[in-house]
Amino acid sequence: MALITEVETVEGRVRGRRYRDFLSWRGIPFALPPMGRLRFRSPQPMTPWSGVRDALSWGFAPPQMKFATMMGLGKYQPMSEDCLTLNVLAPAAPSTRPRPVMVYIHGGGYVIGTSATMLYGGQGLVEHGDIVYVSLNYRLGPLGYLDFSEFSTASRPIESNLGLRDQISALEWVHRNIAAFGGDPDNVTVFGESAGGNAVVSLMSSPHAEGLFSRSIAQSANAAVCYGPERSQRWSRIFLDELGAEDGREVQALESAGVRHLGKAGLSFMRRALEDEPGTLGYAPVVDGDVLPMAPLDAFAEGKAQRLPMIIGTNRREAALFRKFGDEGMPLTTDRVDLLFENTQPELRERVLSAYPSYPSENALTALCGDAMFWKPSLDCADGHTQTAPTYRYRYDYAPRLMDTLGLGATHATELVPVFGLGETTFGKSMTTLGGARDLRGVSRRMQGHWLRFAREGAPMDTWPRYDTHARRTMIFDRRDRVVSDPRRERREAWEGFRGYR
């Protein structure tokens, strides 16, 4: 039976649960609810409270499609704009020194996701790594990742990059309060996957986040997902058209619309945006001259990202997941590939396609899509960052037999199972029903060892060498890990100079 444990934060006292091996606090607010007049505003400081506040259950999920909030058979996490909460997990055993902190930012294309998802529990990292683990929620979709700041007035301010500002606000909370939970505010690793990986490289590129973390891990980050004012304004106006906003009354429409109405307009907007510009994400950080003075790819290329140690990598068959379960406008057809190059750099089309000899086969399209969306942008980040700070690059290749049988292989997000140590859970065991449980345990032990050593000391274990643009040594995680110099060299050379959408 769980017992009660209490901690004093700067904002007030919180009540969590004490289990045998760990302590848990859930649903701690790190900012005021962004509702009413605070909708489309930067996160505002939490009002201190008196007495003890329960932190015993998950907070609300950000508004999104219901299916993504499933927590069990027929059980869904309630949603609300009052969603700016975080969760803390810490070892129950006392420590003579502050523990390293790992802060996880979930993925989901900036349109779905919640920190309450089973995958992100963090218990495996806490139990094996002697760290303090933090997960957080942030605003999604039109409430967090469309830029309506052109309609801002002195009487009704509207800020940009709200989801990113939420993440920064959560990191500020960690800096203020994590010592009370046994964590070291001067040793914080921020890590995330997919959109969460994009959030990591965005935080690395934001002056507002300087000093809030010490190292970063970007897993399957589409680092190119950040757009300039022209595209951002065009997209916001497409959304307002779908919302039915009248000219001159855009702010009133944004303020008065219900969450369901915003969501319906958001889905229509995404369909239009992705149809016209395949390979983009409809919701994304924007270059606003404030939170993001420049796009992450430019910041890394120019040596202006935070000079902190970084792990960055992708999975072998990133795009297989989207081909199987929904392509979300990705360049997985020849028409979309043609449009991708037509919209960006048409002069590179033939050179890139020549690197995929079986094009336009399904396998070649899947490989090209994964490279364009995840591998190439991550490679560009690593190439730039290695000039200013320790950089470690990986590729995740491991796939149990069932995943290969399903045509997925080491696809997008599958590395989360070993990173979070989920092999013995129902979800993890389902992946190894045709064999591979022992191999998965080995991959998990090694990946967790690298991630945790990096969080403690700023470098993975000694078997993983630093990356540079000469040898390009990359750790390949598989049944037997290996270090490969310049994997996929022919593809890398073919993509040279591709920048994509801006």
Side-chain angles (χ1 to χ4, degrees):
M1 180 178 178
L3 302 175
I4 297 300
T5 182
E6 295 183 2
V7 166
E8 189 73 43
T9 73
V10 170
E11 292 76 23
R13 198 163 185 82
V14 292
R15 177 184 293 119
R17 283 194 171 93
R18 175 184 292 270
Y19 297 89
R20 187 183 67 177
D21 297 322
F22 62 92
L23 312 175
S24 169
W25 296 264
R26 293 175 173 173
I28 303 174
F30 60 83
L32 289 175
M35 304 170 72
R37 294 285 289 181
L38 296 184
R39 181 188 274 185
F40 301 112
R41 293 294 314 277
S42 295
Q44 301 298 304
M46 187 65 193
T47 304
W49 59 84
S50 58
V52 183
R53 187 182 189 115
D54 278 344
L56 304 174
S57 57
W58 304 110
F60 292 109
Q64 58 191 281
M65 291 174 278
K66 183 178 178 180
F67 80 89
T69 67
M70 180 179 287
M71 301 181 71
L73 188 61
K75 182 180 179 182
Y76 296 87
Q77 184 183 10
M79 292 180 280
S80 170
E81 289 183 77
D82 180 8
C83 62
L84 299 187
T85 61
L86 53 74
N87 320 289
V88 181
L89 209 62
S95 176
T96 58
R97 63 180 63 185
R99 292 179 163 104
V101 181
M102 298 187 74
V103 179
Y104 185 72
I105 303 175
H106 70 75
Y110 290 135
V111 69
I112 60 173
T114 164
S115 61
T117 299
M118 179 275 294
L119 282 173
Y120 315 141
Q123 186 175 339
L125 288 171
V126 171
E127 290 180 343
H128 295 110
D130 198 36
I131 56 110
V132 176
Y133 174 77
V134 179
S135 58
L136 59 99
N137 287 341
Y138 55 93
R139 280 172 281 185
L140 301 170
L143 291 167
Y145 282 94
L146 282 180
D147 182 8
F148 302 109
S149 60
E150 65 174 298
F151 304 107
S152 180
T153 65
S155 61
R156 187 22 172 131
I158 295 176
E159 283 95 14
S160 55
N161 282 315
L162 296 174
L164 184 57
R165 291 178 191 263
D166 293 343
Q167 295 156 12
I168 293 169
S169 179
L171 288 170
E172 290 171 341
W173 183 96
V174 170
H175 192 71
R176 288 194 307 272
N177 289 307
I178 206 63
F181 297 83
D184 184 352
D186 296 320
N187 186 4
V188 175
T189 297
V190 62
F191 71 126
E193 184 270 342
S194 196
N198 177 270
V200 169
V201 299
S202 298
L203 290 166
M204 290 280 284
S205 308
S206 174
H208 289 226
E210 289 183 7
L212 297 179
F213 56 97
S214 309
R215 20 196 166 267
S216 67
I217 304 174
Q219 301 170 209
S220 298
N222 186 341
V225 172
C226 179
Y227 306 119
E230 181 181 343
R231 174 171 281 102
S232 301
Q233 289 178 9
R234 183 171 74 252
W235 279 359
S236 68
R237 291 183 176 275
I238 291 174
F239 173 83
L240 288 165
D241 180 57
E242 294 293 340
L243 191 65
E246 300 176 8
D247 289 345
R249 294 187 58 81
E250 291 88 356
V251 173
Q252 291 87 336
L254 290 169
E255 283 186 329
S256 61
V259 169
R260 286 178 178 270
H261 191 189
L262 289 171
K264 184 177 180 181
L267 289 174
S268 298
F269 151 74
M270 278 190 68
R271 282 193 289 269
R272 286 176 59 177
L274 297 179
E275 180 180 342
D276 294 339
E277 297 174 290
T280 61
L281 285 187
Y283 300 107
V286 301
V287 177
D288 60 2
D290 179 21
V291 179
L292 282 178
M294 61 176 61
L297 284 187
D298 294 329
F300 279 89
E302 297 181 23
K304 294 181 179 179
Q306 294 193 57
R307 299 186 174 191
L308 305 174
M310 180 176 70
I311 289 174
I312 187 166
T314 54
N315 295 359
R316 182 180 182 89
R317 301 197 72 230
E318 290 280 1
L321 178 73
F322 305 103
R323 177 172 291 283
K324 195 82 169 177
F325 297 107
D327 58 22
E328 301 178 4
M330 289 190 171
L332 283 165
T333 67
T334 55
D335 288 345
R336 288 180 184 170
V337 170
D338 290 343
L339 192 53
L340 167 66
F341 285 104
E342 180 183 326
N343 289 341
T344 56
Q345 290 153 290
E347 70 278 7
L348 298 181
R349 179 184 178 277
E350 294 307 316
R351 191 182 76 191
V352 170
L353 295 187
S354 69
Y356 303 86
S358 67
Y359 185 86
S361 71
E362 181 176 303
N363 282 339
L365 281 163
T366 301
L368 187 149
C369 176
D371 289 353
M373 296 291 292
F374 300 100
W375 177 69
K376 177 60 166 65
S378 292
L379 182 64
D380 288 344
C381 273
D383 285 354
H385 198 58
T386 192
Q387 308 303 316
T388 63
T391 306
Y392 302 88
R393 183 156 176 78
Y394 75 88
R395 192 180 75 205
Y396 180 74
D397 282 18
Y398 176 68
R401 185 182 304 169
L402 176 64
M403 300 299 288
D404 285 332
T405 301
L406 293 173
L408 292 168
T411 193
H412 191 68
T414 52
E415 91 288 358
L416 291 173
V417 173
V419 165
F420 280 102
L422 301 174
E424 298 305 314
T425 65
T426 301
F427 181 80
K429 288 180 179 178
S430 69
M431 293 179 64
T432 57
T433 53
L434 298 183
R438 178 182 296 179
D439 289 331
L440 180 57
R441 285 194 295 271
V443 174
S444 183
R445 183 176 62 253
R446 297 189 299 275
M447 290 191 78
Q448 283 195 329
H450 286 299
W451 264 234
L452 292 165
R453 167 81 175 272
F454 183 78
R456 287 193 300 271
E457 302 179 18
M461 294 187 293
D462 296 340
T463 53
W464 189 348
R466 282 175 60 165
Y467 177 82
D468 60 53
T469 54
H470 302 291
R472 298 183 178 275
R473 291 179 295 179
T474 302
M475 174 63 77
I476 309 295
F477 290 109
D478 207 335
R479 290 175 178 83
R480 291 182 176 85
D481 299 344
R482 62 194 188 279
V483 175
V484 176
S485 292
D486 203 6
R488 295 177 175 170
R489 178 179 61 84
E490 294 80 6
R491 292 192 199 174
R492 176 182 62 78
E493 292 173 345
W495 283 99
E496 193 69 37
F498 182 81
R499 176 59 174 79
Y501 293 95
R502 304 186 73 122

